[in-house]
């Protein structure tokens, strides 16, 4: 059985592509690439078709993580295709709750809820602040915690 994880932010150019890249890297390091699939999407259509923001591409490359995804918007079908839809902040979680079809099985979660050591709910948006390194640190801790949670709950 394959577990499918979709990271979701507003534009799908800063935070969720970073989470996708870091999480896939951890999955590969753990030897679980055949069992966990990863993608990302945005609740808005503002940047559809664009590559990740240069700040995200820069920090990923600096940490040795390849990323060549393009922005896409979340669809209704994603709620059937993915097991976990993980929102990078609470406003995107609210947007997902409003979109979710009643019979879809996907679990909706907030990215930082798995990281007990981080005392924040939302990954702050680096689009205006430019704090991509700070966000990378949060994403790395959150991704590790999420992988731990999924391994435990899915018995991987
Ligand atoms: P993201 O960041 O949701 O982490 O991809 C943003 C990207 C674009 C905008 C806002 C946030 N925007 O206003 O265009």
């Amino acid at each position: 059985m394959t577990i499918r994880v979709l990271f979701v932010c507003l534009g799908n150019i800063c935070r969720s592509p970073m989470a996708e890249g870091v999480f896939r890297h951890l999955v590969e390091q753990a030897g679980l690439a055949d069992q966990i699939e990863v993608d990302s999407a945005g609740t808005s259509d503002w940047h559809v078709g664009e590559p990740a923001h240069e700040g995200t591409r820069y920090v990923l490359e600096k940490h040795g993580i390849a990323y060549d995804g393009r922005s896409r918007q979340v669809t209704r079908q994603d709620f059937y295709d993915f097991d976990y839809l993980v929102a990078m902040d609470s406003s995107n979680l609210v947007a997902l709750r409003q979109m979710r079809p009643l019979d879809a099985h996907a679990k909706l979660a907030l990215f930082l809820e798995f990281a007990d050591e981080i005392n924040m709910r939302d990954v702050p948006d680096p689009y205006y602040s430019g704090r991509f390194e700070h966000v990378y640190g949060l994403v790395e801790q959150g991704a590790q915690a999420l992988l731990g949670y999924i391994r435990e709950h899915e018995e991987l």
Side-chain angles (χ1 to χ4, degrees):
M1 195 180 86
T2 306
I3 305 300
R4 296 189 171 84
V5 182
L6 183 71
F7 295 100
V8 178
C9 64
L10 180 60
N12 191 214
I13 54 170
C14 299
R15 292 164 293 177
S16 62
M18 198 187 289
E20 178 194 348
V22 169
F23 190 74
R24 183 180 296 114
H25 187 73
L26 293 177
V27 164
E28 286 168 0
Q29 281 183 333
L32 294 171
D34 292 344
Q35 290 159 84
I36 303 180
E37 277 181 24
V38 193
D39 194 6
S40 67
T43 53
S44 80
D45 65 359
W46 302 342
H47 295 276
V48 167
E50 293 177 25
H53 189 285
E54 61 181 3
T56 286
R57 284 186 280 135
Y58 175 80
V59 287
L60 286 175
E61 195 180 315
K62 192 172 145 192
H63 293 273
I65 297 174
Y67 187 81
D68 66 357
R70 299 242 165 199
S71 173
R72 73 169 181 88
Q73 191 171 20
V74 180
T75 66
R76 280 175 61 85
Q77 188 62 39
D78 287 326
F79 291 81
Y80 299 97
D81 292 345
F82 288 87
D83 301 287
Y84 294 89
L85 268 64
V86 184
M88 303 307 290
D89 67 24
S90 358
S91 67
N92 286 295
L93 182 61
V94 169
L96 290 177
R97 285 200 183 119
Q98 288 168 349
M99 266 185 90
R100 170 201 241 161
L102 286 174
D103 63 340
H105 77 281
K107 295 183 188 73
L108 304 192
L110 194 55
F111 182 73
L112 287 180
E113 76 183 59
F114 303 100
D116 296 334
E117 71 280 14
I118 298 179
N119 196 14
M120 293 166 74
R121 280 173 63 76
D122 295 341
V123 177
D125 189 346
Y127 187 70
Y128 297 106
S129 71
R131 299 185 70 204
F132 286 89
E133 274 298 343
H134 169 66
V135 167
Y136 184 87
L138 295 172
V139 165
E140 196 171 42
Q141 285 188 72
Q144 267 168 7
L146 175 62
L147 182 57
Y149 176 88
I150 289 176
R151 291 190 77 160
E152 192 178 324
H153 285 259
E154 309 290 344
E155 296 177 2
L156 293 177

